[in-house]
């Protein structure tokens, strides 16, 4: 695979800096034939693309990056009409293998196979795995950032125990009306995705790209982070809730803007990695085969 170092340089540069790394490889569930994963590239949160294309019309093998920390590779037809920022191409000679990889990842995800871990490195450098730690001014913020970075480093390649137990059917609290586990899994996924994709990401970008005062940002963070994280803690994600409580407590102190950005971006990576495992572990086999596709024309009039 070659990266384009001219177009969308703001997206390519943070990705280069994050190498080498390992991360859970995922597959699109609503957009069609494309692979995606979460790279530990904090700068993607802040990057603004200078070129977008219709990814449905882009050739197979096109590599995209986004502000929600996704590296996506198209290998077949896409259904989602969404502009995306291209950053490179898979070599033409590897396209047949890419399609095989796509099928293998789909089977891993939707067929309940073993998780597939992507290993990403420069062609001329050894493989490895690490997560960058943002510099901080406050010692307490620096300590928490280091803790979250270690949590992220682990979660990128291994599902945390609390998610494994939850998806195995263990109820770690009273979450799930009338003893239901599946409903809890649906709500855990529904709260985790926007928390990482939107809330932490938006707060980090607002801190660096706008003139919103730090006091306003801290108040917004307390208002936006507590409720969904507390709910996820109730459902069983206690490490996430504990980290959030620590973040919110630090925000109540006199901290610098640099510390705020560091905490928001470090937590965005951690939560996005949790979201990836939610999708990998979810019991997709519960959906009957006849649910896999029905066009609107085939649907009964009363549906």
């Amino acid at each position: 695979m070659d990266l384009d170092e001219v177009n969308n340089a703001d997206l390519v540069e943070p990705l280069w800096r994050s190498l080498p790394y390992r991360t859970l490889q995922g597959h699109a569930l609503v957009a069609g034939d494309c692979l995606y994963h979460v790279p530990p590239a904090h700068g993607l949160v802040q990057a603004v693309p200078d070129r977008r294309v219709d990814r449905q019309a882009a050739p197979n093998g096109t590599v995209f990056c986004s502000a929600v920390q996704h590296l996506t590779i198209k290998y077949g037809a896409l259904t989602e009409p969404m502009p995306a920022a291209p950053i490179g191409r898979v070599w033409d000679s590897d396209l047949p293998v890419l399609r095989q990889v796509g099928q293998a990842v789909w089977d891993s995800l939707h067929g309940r196979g073993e998780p597939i871990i992507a290993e990403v490195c420069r062609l001329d450098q050894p493989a490895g795995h690490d997560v960058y730690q943002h510099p901080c001014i406050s010692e307490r913020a620096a300590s928490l950032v280091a803790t979250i970075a270690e949590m992220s480093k682990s979660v990128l390649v291994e599902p945390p125990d609390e998610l494994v137990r939850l998806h195995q059917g263990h109820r770690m609290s009273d979450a799930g009306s009338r003893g239901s586990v599946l409903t809890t899994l649906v709500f855990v996924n529904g709260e985790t995705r926007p928390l990482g994709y939107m809330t932490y990401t938006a707060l980090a970008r607002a801190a660096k790209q706008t003139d919103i005062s730090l006091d306003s940002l801290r108040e917004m963070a307390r208002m936006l982070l507590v409720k969904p994280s507390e709910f996820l803690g109730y459902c069983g994600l206690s490490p996430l809730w504990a980290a959030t409580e620590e973040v919110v407590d630090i925000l109540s102190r006199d901290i610098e803007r640099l510390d705020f950005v560091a905490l928001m971006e470090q937590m965005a990576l951690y939560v996005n990695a949790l979201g990836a495992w939610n999708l990998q572990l979810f019991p997709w086999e519960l959906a009957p085969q006849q649910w896999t596709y029905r066009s609107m024309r085939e649907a009964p009039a009363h549906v």
Side-chain angles (χ1 to χ4, degrees):
M1 181 176 77
D2 288 322
L3 295 185
D4 185 344
E5 299 192 50
V6 176
N7 295 298
N8 291 321
D10 284 351
L11 291 165
V12 174
E13 212 29 60
L15 188 63
W16 276 126
R17 290 198 304 267
S18 70
L19 300 178
Y21 65 82
R22 298 185 181 96
T23 186
L24 175 68
Q25 182 61 62
H27 192 290
L29 292 167
V30 299
D33 287 347
C34 65
L35 307 169
Y36 76 91
H37 66 239
V38 178
H42 302 297
L44 290 179
V45 171
Q46 302 291 347
V48 179
D50 52 50
R51 177 172 173 258
R52 295 177 187 268
V53 299
D54 177 357
R55 64 179 188 170
Q56 285 184 300
N60 291 347
T62 303
V63 183
F64 305 96
C65 258
S66 71
V68 296
Q69 291 182 306
H70 279 176
L71 184 148
T72 303
I73 306 176
K74 176 183 177 180
Y75 72 88
L78 297 183
T79 60
E80 192 173 24
M82 216 172 165
I87 64 163
R89 283 288 310 277
V90 171
W91 297 330
D92 288 343
S93 59
D94 287 340
L95 290 181
V97 176
L98 176 62
R99 185 153 193 88
Q100 293 175 16
V101 171
Q103 185 62 50
V105 177
W106 175 261
D107 292 341
S108 163
L109 177 66
H110 206 273
R112 302 292 282 172
E114 286 295 313
I116 294 176
I117 303 300
E119 187 167 77
V120 187
C121 62
R122 290 176 181 263
L123 190 61
D124 58 349
Q125 292 185 355
H129 179 52
D130 206 356
V131 170
Y132 173 75
Q133 297 181 26
H134 271 291
C136 294
I137 297 173
S138 159
E139 289 186 8
R140 187 175 173 200
S143 176
L144 181 56
V145 161
T147 298
I148 300 168
E150 284 301 309
M151 293 167 66
S152 302
K153 183 177 178 180
S154 173
V155 171
L156 284 168
V157 295
E158 293 284 348
D161 290 342
E162 64 272 16
L163 275 186
V164 171
R165 293 181 61 204
L166 190 59
H167 285 81
Q168 287 177 341
H170 299 287
R171 297 177 73 227
M172 291 171 279
S173 69
D174 291 330
S177 299
R178 302 192 178 189
S180 170
V181 174
L182 184 61
T183 51
T184 304
L185 298 182
V186 171
F187 277 83
V188 165
N189 182 59
E191 292 288 350
T192 305
R193 285 169 59 85
L195 182 63
Y197 288 4
M198 297 300 298
T199 307
Y200 275 112
T201 296
L203 287 168
R205 296 186 74 175
K208 287 195 75 171
Q209 300 179 18
T210 76
D211 57 1
I212 298 174
S213 72
L214 181 58
D215 285 343
S216 296
L217 288 168
R218 296 193 304 181
E219 186 60 31
M220 288 170 59
R222 285 192 289 267
M223 292 170 61
L224 294 170
L225 298 176
V226 171
K227 185 58 66 177
S229 301
E230 185 177 31
F231 172 77
L232 289 169
Y234 156 68
C235 290
L237 276 64
S238 51
L240 169 61
W241 173 228
T244 306
E245 286 186 295
E246 186 73 9
V247 167
V248 171
D249 188 61
I250 290 177
L251 295 182
S252 68
R253 318 291 170 149
D254 187 18
I255 64 168
E256 300 292 333
R257 205 175 187 94
L258 180 70
D259 296 337
F260 182 91
V261 173
L263 289 167
M264 296 303 105
E265 291 192 1
Q266 213 82 47
M267 282 295 290
L269 174 63
Y270 173 63
V271 178
N272 287 336
L274 287 176
W277 280 108
N278 274 333
L279 297 179
Q280 176 68 39
L281 298 171
F282 195 84
W284 301 109
E285 71 276 9
L286 295 180
Q289 185 63 30
Q290 62 266 30
W291 287 8
T292 56
Y293 178 75
R294 292 190 73 186
S295 72
M296 292 297 291
R297 292 180 181 178
E298 295 171 332
H302 66 274
V303 173

